[in-house]
Amino acid sequence: MRLECIDNVREMEVLGKSILSDDGQILLKSGVVLTDRYLKKLKTLGVYYIYVEDERLEDVKVEDTELTELKQCAIKSLSRVAKNVSLNGEREVKDSIEKVKSLVEYILDNKDVDKSLNDIKTYDNYTYVHCLDTSIMATFLAASLNINKDKIKELATGAVLHDVGKTKISNKIINKTGKLTEEEFKEIRKHPIYGRDILEKKFYMSDIILKTVSEHHERVDGKGYPYGLKGNNISKYGRIVAICDVYDAVSSDRCYRRRFSPSEAYELILAGSGNAFDEDMIMKFRNTFSVYPLGAKIRLSNGIEGYVSGQNKGYPDRPIIRVFDDYNKSSYKEIDLLKCTNVTVKGLS
């Protein structure tokens, strides 16, 4: 399976990974033949990259049917929460929490980061998929920090609800494409407080969830918001989600900007080590997440192009690359960048 820029996908190729809608339904199911109509529709939804089946990379698998079903359930419940949170929808919120905990349980039992992340975000489903991916990243990062399973479930719940406070802010501000006014920016910066208030007063959430929601924009140098907390005065849960929230956000296309490249997003996080983000957690981040997803086509410094077929744990920017013979597509060689130290990745191809 390969990850391909949608402009390079040809008609009659086959979708390799399902795309979810904003209410948890399958917008396009893996295995569907991509017609011109489907491709045009995906472009109008703001989709720039999709997974397509490729017999040359049939051993590179990123779709997990059971995981997709769990994500569907979580997104459906998140959609209901967003619509009912201001109406004291206690049942919907509790249902969402149970769905998230089931998802976390599955992820912790399987621990396959390559299949768990890199879901396709559209303009419509961005909010829910972003919250879910942030939660999944936080789960993996917390596991690498040896946090116990019960606390990870609480953290993951807080992560998936981290932006619930935005339901108290006007959509005109949330969806504004131009520069925010000073007053609008002040209002946006209140959403962690709004979120904590909603969850504490209406739904009696745990302290871990409340800290995760209220502190996900705090920074270890004290330059975050809403409280300007510094260092260890920020809970470890807030520090974990701060990293995951930023990384997933900048890796996604938004109505007001294009996504960062994988290397740019990674460098942004690493550059924040010790100032914006917890230094020890960034070291764990490096050992947990890879820069380039499986199936992505990349260009090397020696001019060679190939597809990511494997990862080297602890070396996020040194994957294993599969390079095909131009004259015989079934013939290929593997380049392990951990062993070829004189070659670097220049970027996506």
Side-chain angles (χ1 to χ4, degrees), residues 61-226:
K61 301 183 186 301
V62 297
E63 179 83 316
D64 180 327
T65 303
E66 187 172 350
L67 183 62
T68 298
E69 290 176 356
L70 288 168
K71 287 181 178 180
Q72 277 186 268
C73 291
I75 290 176
K76 283 179 185 177
S77 58
L78 278 176
S79 178
R80 290 197 296 271
V81 167
K83 293 169 184 172
N84 290 282
V85 73
S86 60
L87 303 173
N88 294 328
E90 186 173 353
R91 182 176 61 82
E92 286 79 9
V93 174
K94 286 183 177 179
D95 179 64
S96 180
I97 290 171
E98 290 308 309
K99 295 295 190 297
V100 170
K101 288 182 177 179
S102 295
L103 177 63
V104 170
E105 188 85 39
Y106 182 84
I107 287 170
L108 290 175
D109 287 344
N110 290 273
K111 290 187 174 63
D112 192 336
V113 68
D114 292 308
K115 289 184 180 179
S116 301
L117 292 170
N118 301 310
D119 283 308
I120 298 166
K121 297 184 181 74
T122 69
Y123 288 139
D124 291 335
N125 75 12
Y126 171 81
T127 298
Y128 305 128
V129 176
H130 165 64
C131 289
L132 199 59
D133 277 354
T134 300
S135 179
I136 291 169
M137 287 191 74
T139 296
F140 279 106
L141 186 51
S144 75
L145 292 163
N146 296 316
I147 295 174
N148 76 55
K149 183 180 285 191
D150 288 338
K151 289 182 178 179
I152 290 177
K153 288 180 180 179
E154 295 296 293
L155 165 68
T157 300
V160 87
L161 296 171
H162 74 275
D163 276 341
V164 72
K166 288 183 177 179
T167 60
K168 300 283 287 184
I169 299 174
S170 166
N171 283 333
K172 290 182 179 179
I173 297 176
I174 297 294
N175 297 321
K176 186 174 180 179
T177 56
K179 186 177 180 180
L180 296 174
T181 66
E182 185 176 345
E183 287 303 311
E184 289 170 337
F185 190 55
K186 285 181 180 178
E187 181 66 5
I188 283 285
R189 288 164 68 100
K190 292 178 183 176
H191 79 267
I193 298 174
Y194 292 153
R196 182 185 177 109
D197 287 346
I198 290 169
L199 297 176
E200 183 175 29
K201 294 175 181 177
K202 294 183 178 181
F203 305 106
Y204 313 105
M205 295 291 181
S206 72
D207 191 54
I208 290 175
I209 294 173
L210 296 178
K211 285 182 176 179
T212 300
V213 170
S214 63
E215 297 175 3
H216 71 276
H217 279 294
E218 300 292 348
R219 299 294 180 257
V220 295
D221 59 6
K223 294 181 180 179
Y225 64 86

Side-chain angles (χ1 to χ4, degrees), residues 81 119 138 147 243 245 257 280 282-283 285 294 300 304 332:
V81 167
D119 283 308
I147 295 174
I243 296 168
D245 176 40
R257 61 151 174 79
D280 292 335
I282 292 301
M283 290 299 295
F285 181 89
L294 287 178
L300 303 180
I304 291 175
Y332 64 85

